[in-house]
Amino acid sequence: MINAKHREMLPFYDVIVVGGGHAGCEAAVAAANLGSKTLLITMDMTKYAQMSCNPAMGGIAKGQIVREIDALGGYSGIVSDQSSIQFRMLNQSKGPAMWSPRAQNDRVRFTELWRHVLEKTPNLDLWQDAVISLHIKDNVVNGVRTKIGVDFYSKSVVLTNGTFLNGLMHIGRAKMEGGRIGESASYHISEQLLDIGFKTGRLKTGTPVRIDGRSIDFSKMEEQAGDATIGKFSFLPEIKSTLKQKSCWITYTNETVHSILEEGFADSPMYNGTILGTGPRYCPSIEAKIVTFAEKTSHQLFLEPEGEDTIEYYLNGFSSSLPWDVQLRALQKVSGLENVKIFRPGYAIEYDYFDPTQLHHTLETKLIKNLFFAGQINGTTGYEEAAAQGIMAGINAHQNVHELEPFVLNRDEAYIGVLIDDLVTKGVDEPYRMFTSRAEYRILLRQDNADFRLTAKSYELGLAQKDRLDLVLEKKMAVESILDFVTNFSLKPQFVNHILREKGSSELKQGVKLIDIIMRPQISIFDLIEDIVPFKTFLLSIPEGRFSEILESAEIAIKYAGYIDREKLVADKYRRLENIGITGKFDFEKILTISTEARQKLAEIQPDTIGQASRISGVSPSDINVLLVLLGR
């Protein structure tokens, strides 16, 4: 029974965010910074945005997401940069659409910095407790009840429960209830939502052994240092790391290691039927690798430092739920780990998730108004995917309660748009991970232009601040001025032929425009700065702290202009389908001129637009044509 006296003591909130992981932190800060009175409830205030698995942010496509979050005015990029102990730009041997920033982070510093962000955010209150149920009336959420019996009331709720919903951890035959090692699971919410009619399932993830660095023989391993020039995620020029930069190390498994691991398969919860949840395809356990790739005699392992000063190392590539003693014996046969000591073995965890096709593109649930889901509760894996959903859910929770227009990013506007559209349109049957291959417009969605794509949109919302918009405008003007200069500046052979010879490019016989030289694949714009004095003099006008960033954007605009323009045309063509709304216009079950599968899928997902309908598995182009004809009538 609700205690009226207690209700009067507690403030009423616009937005309550449940869970203090990457999704929850971004959601809470976004809603609060937009002006909503916000409460963030978490079970442990010392573990905000905890890096439960590897101590790193970014990577293939994930780095683009972090830059998009930063461009929107989120904090994952800022906190990553300030806690970075190594930075690498991946895929630089490929085209710029594939370049992906990645940072190794100090795990403890990362969490501390996020706590500083939360504590300094206006309109944001914090509460340490577990939420056990939602207050719902007439299919509208209006608050939560916590484990210690406190009722908080609000206009909206964002659930970001991570792996804690009925979490169960496995090490061999040993099972422990919890959402992370040493932390209890969250109960009752799944059951409540199931009773309401939500579809739920079980997924599985895992984490590797943690190693004592004093027991590692690094002389037997290959060093992997960061980039010589320390890059970053945030577009804010003053944000950077002041921490000591560290190397990662590479070693390999071997056939002896594999044989020892196979001895433990009978006790592996993956193979003895204990684990029922589906694991991540693209981040498999070491035992899954051995079975799936039986022909391989070795697998690459990465030793990653957990922080600037700690001796703890994370063994990337060795995720496992085998018995601890099997893990240890196998590790002792890895080169460089013959005398290894471990702090804790790897383990697997099962948890509840909810079918994300039950969500709108705003991440609001279709069954309960003003209730939002973000993060692993939607079947995703990875800090970056969670944080992206968090910021979008926080924005839309604020928009909802203040009766403002929803904020949705399209597939040609952001990887975040691809992520959410994939989730709500296609659903998941395994933990979802973002890749560049999932984006059909990846030439448009580069890591270098996230600010061009998103900051003005966020500024119009009121989230990105004026200083961010000013930086974008400054960058655009600088890039345009460079393009104008190189298009009009003529270059004689004697000033550039020595550079062309050195780079293996054919020499000039007559003068050309500077842009023609930059367009050559062997030549970088940076190769031309020192020797072409007028160009060097012109570039003195470029802000020093943003020199490389601006030149890189200009070079990409020059070299890939044709590809970019062509992809824009394709995106514009398909954008027309996205603008054809069909919400509430059809009873799909009664349209007998489309396939049975299409009727069932359309009725289940209830797409908002023709574009979304066209991406549903089982809906054919002919089915879409039928819908378009019916709309015409």
Side-chain angles (χ1 to χ4, degrees):
M1 184 175 177
I2 298 173
N3 188 314
K5 179 181 177 182
H6 288 172
R7 182 168 184 170
E8 291 174 4
M9 293 170 59
L10 294 169
F12 184 87
Y13 292 95
D14 293 314
V15 179
I16 292 175
V17 178
V18 179
H22 298 263
C25 287
E26 288 288 4
V29 173
N33 280 334
L34 284 166
S36 283
K37 187 170 180 57
T38 306
L39 174 67
L40 174 58
I41 304 176
T42 185
M43 291 192 287
D44 189 343
M45 289 176 60
T46 68
K47 292 185 171 65
Y48 287 119
Q50 173 81 343
M51 291 179 142
S52 308
C53 202
N54 64 319
M57 288 290 283
I60 306 301
K62 293 168 174 278
Q64 284 89 325
I65 288 176
V66 178
R67 297 215 94 190
E68 290 177 352
I69 293 168
D70 184 76
L72 288 169
Y75 284 85
S76 289
I78 292 172
V79 172
S80 296
D81 289 342
Q82 292 176 332
S83 61
S84 172
I85 56 175
Q86 187 194 92
F87 185 92
R88 295 177 65 219
M89 185 66 76
L90 308 182
N91 279 344
Q92 284 193 286
S93 61
K94 301 179 181 178
M98 306 295 285
W99 296 354
S100 301
R102 184 184 189 273
Q104 204 71 33
N105 297 97
D106 185 306
R107 184 191 298 274
V108 173
R109 193 73 59 89
F110 189 92
T111 296
E112 288 174 346
L113 287 165
W114 252 117
R115 180 161 182 164
H116 292 325
V117 169
L118 296 167
E119 291 178 350
K120 292 178 182 178
T121 300
N123 303 316
L124 179 58
D125 290 346
L126 308 173
W127 183 268
Q128 182 168 300
D129 202 347
V131 170
I132 59 170
S133 66
L134 304 170
H135 293 309
I136 296 171
K137 184 176 181 181
D138 298 327
N139 293 328
V140 180
V141 70
N142 54 42
V144 302
R145 167 162 282 192
T146 74
K147 193 173 183 178
I148 64 174
V150 182
D151 294 291
F152 290 101
Y153 297 92
S154 65
K155 297 176 183 177
S156 67
V157 173
V158 182
L159 290 184
T160 70
N161 302 76
T163 59
F164 286 82
L165 287 177
N166 293 326
L168 183 63
M169 294 175 288
H170 303 265
I171 303 175
R173 293 190 179 274
K175 291 190 288 187
M176 299 162 285
E177 295 180 349
R180 192 160 48 210
I181 200 80
E183 298 176 60
S184 61
S186 175
Y187 298 104
H188 309 300
I189 291 179
S190 286
E191 291 75 11
Q192 181 186 12
L193 293 175
L194 198 60
D195 288 343
I196 290 170
F198 282 89
K199 292 180 291 183
T200 186
R202 295 284 276 179
L203 292 177
K204 170 248 174 199
T205 189
T207 191
V209 60
R210 303 305 199 271
I211 291 176
D212 185 338
R214 296 169 297 185
S215 65
I216 301 171
D217 185 351
F218 293 106
S219 68
K220 295 182 178 181
M221 299 181 179
E222 175 188 339
E223 184 174 9
Q224 185 184 58
D227 293 346
T229 300
I230 302 172
K232 62 199 197 77
F233 291 107
S234 181
F235 290 98
L236 298 176
E238 71 274 14
I239 300 298
K240 60 183 179 181
S241 175
T242 59
L243 304 185
K244 180 174 61 181
Q245 299 297 290
K246 305 270 300 236
S247 290
C248 296
W249 302 84
I250 300 173
T251 186
Y252 297 86
T253 63
N254 52 56
E255 291 179 288
T256 304
V257 172
H258 297 179
S259 296
I260 294 171
L261 292 171
E262 287 171 349
E263 291 174 14
F265 277 13
D267 293 318
S268 169
M270 278 185 58
Y271 295 105
N272 63 20
T274 304
I275 288 180
L276 302 176
T278 305
R281 177 189 303 267
Y282 300 106
C283 190
S285 65
I286 187 65
E287 48 264 44
K289 289 180 187 178
I290 293 171
V291 172
T292 306
F293 306 103
E295 74 283 358
K296 295 196 70 171
T297 56
S298 69
H299 293 282
Q300 197 172 47
L301 304 175
F302 295 87
L303 274 158
E304 302 176 348
E306 294 266 334
E308 180 185 26
D309 295 316
T310 182
I311 59 172
E312 186 176 358
Y313 278 78
Y314 173 95
L315 188 59
N316 201 337
F318 203 85
S319 177
S320 179
S321 58
L322 289 168
W324 72 269
D325 56 320
V326 175
Q327 293 185 43
L328 181 58
R329 285 193 295 114
L331 287 172
Q332 290 169 343
K333 300 301 180 182
V334 174
S335 180
L337 300 180
E338 291 84 357
N339 300 307
V340 69
K341 294 180 181 179
I342 65 174
F343 291 126
R344 76 161 191 245
Y347 63 93
I349 178 169
E350 285 186 283
Y351 56 94
D352 291 346
Y353 82 101
F354 290 87
D355 182 353
T357 62
Q358 300 168 107
L359 303 175
H360 297 292
H361 277 79
T362 59
L363 298 181
E364 182 185 19
T365 69
K366 294 175 180 177
L367 290 178
I368 303 297
K369 184 170 176 55
N370 293 335
L371 176 62
F372 294 78
F373 291 170
Q376 285 175 289
I377 192 173
N378 290 334
T380 60
T381 179
Y383 314 139
E384 304 82 2
E385 290 91 341
Q389 294 170 71
I391 193 170
M392 296 300 286
I395 289 170
N396 281 303
H398 167 84
Q399 298 293 99
N400 254 30
V401 300
H402 294 281
E403 299 182 354
L404 300 170
E405 286 295 311
F407 183 68
V408 174
L409 294 172
N410 294 317
R411 295 181 71 92
D412 63 335
E413 293 177 316
Y415 272 94
I416 295 174
V418 176
L419 164 67
I420 293 175
D421 185 63
D422 278 354
L423 292 175
V424 305
T425 301
K426 301 174 183 177
V428 299
D429 54 14
E430 61 185 40
Y432 179 100
R433 178 178 178 178
M434 179 53 73
F435 290 101
T436 51
S437 58
R438 295 191 189 273
E440 56 270 55
Y441 307 115
R442 55 183 175 270
I443 295 175
L444 302 181
L445 308 183
R446 307 183 310 275
Q447 57 84 30
D448 66 281
N449 70 348
D451 52 345
F452 286 170
R453 293 184 276 118
L454 301 176
T455 297
K457 293 177 183 292
S458 184
Y459 177 74
E460 290 173 9
L461 278 176
L463 183 57
Q465 298 302 299
K466 181 68 162 52
D467 61 337
R468 279 190 177 273
L469 185 64
D470 290 343
L471 286 168
V472 173
L473 296 176
E474 176 187 70
K475 181 177 172 181
K476 280 186 176 179
M477 289 178 61
V479 169
E480 288 169 2
S481 69
I482 292 171
L483 295 180
D484 184 63
F485 181 90
V486 301
T487 301
N488 293 293
F489 181 75
S490 295
L491 194 60
K492 294 182 178 179
Q494 60 265 34
F495 295 112
V496 74
N497 274 345
H498 66 288
I499 299 174
L500 300 180
R501 282 195 302 272
E502 183 182 329
K503 296 294 180 180
S505 187
S506 58
E507 297 181 32
L508 296 180
K509 294 181 181 178
Q510 60 185 29
V512 297
K513 299 297 185 184
L514 180 54
I515 192 171
D516 296 321
I517 301 298
I518 297 172
M519 288 179 71
R520 295 189 179 194
Q522 306 92 337
I523 305 299
S524 166
I525 196 169
F526 294 95
D527 297 331
L528 307 172
I529 295 171
E530 288 301 323
D531 290 354
I532 302 175
V533 176
F535 189 38
K536 182 178 182 180
T537 303
F538 168 77
L539 292 176
L540 292 175
S541 61
I542 304 298
E544 185 178 351
R546 310 182 71 198
F547 186 81
S548 295
E549 175 191 352
I550 289 170
L551 251 68
E552 179 184 281
S553 287
E555 181 170 36
I556 291 170
I558 293 166
K559 288 184 182 294
Y560 296 90
Y563 298 104
I564 293 169
D565 290 343
R566 186 169 61 193
E567 200 154 275
K568 281 181 179 177
L569 286 173
V570 174
D572 288 343
K573 176 183 176 182
Y574 282 95
R575 176 70 69 86
R576 295 171 204 152
L577 296 180
E578 298 299 335
N579 292 331
I580 302 175
I582 56 174
T583 304
K585 292 187 178 179
F586 295 116
D587 182 347
F588 294 109
E589 295 284 5
K590 294 182 179 179
I591 304 176
L592 302 181
T593 47
I594 61 176
S595 69
T596 302
E597 183 180 5
R599 286 201 302 275
Q600 293 171 347
K601 294 285 183 66
L602 290 166
E604 178 185 4
I605 295 172
Q606 292 293 322
D608 296 320
T609 68
I610 286 288
Q612 185 189 358
S614 70
R615 293 188 293 276
I616 296 173
S617 174
V619 178
S620 69
S622 61
D623 295 324
I624 295 300
N625 285 334
V626 169
L627 296 181
L628 288 170
V629 169
L630 292 174
L631 279 172
R633 291 178 183 173

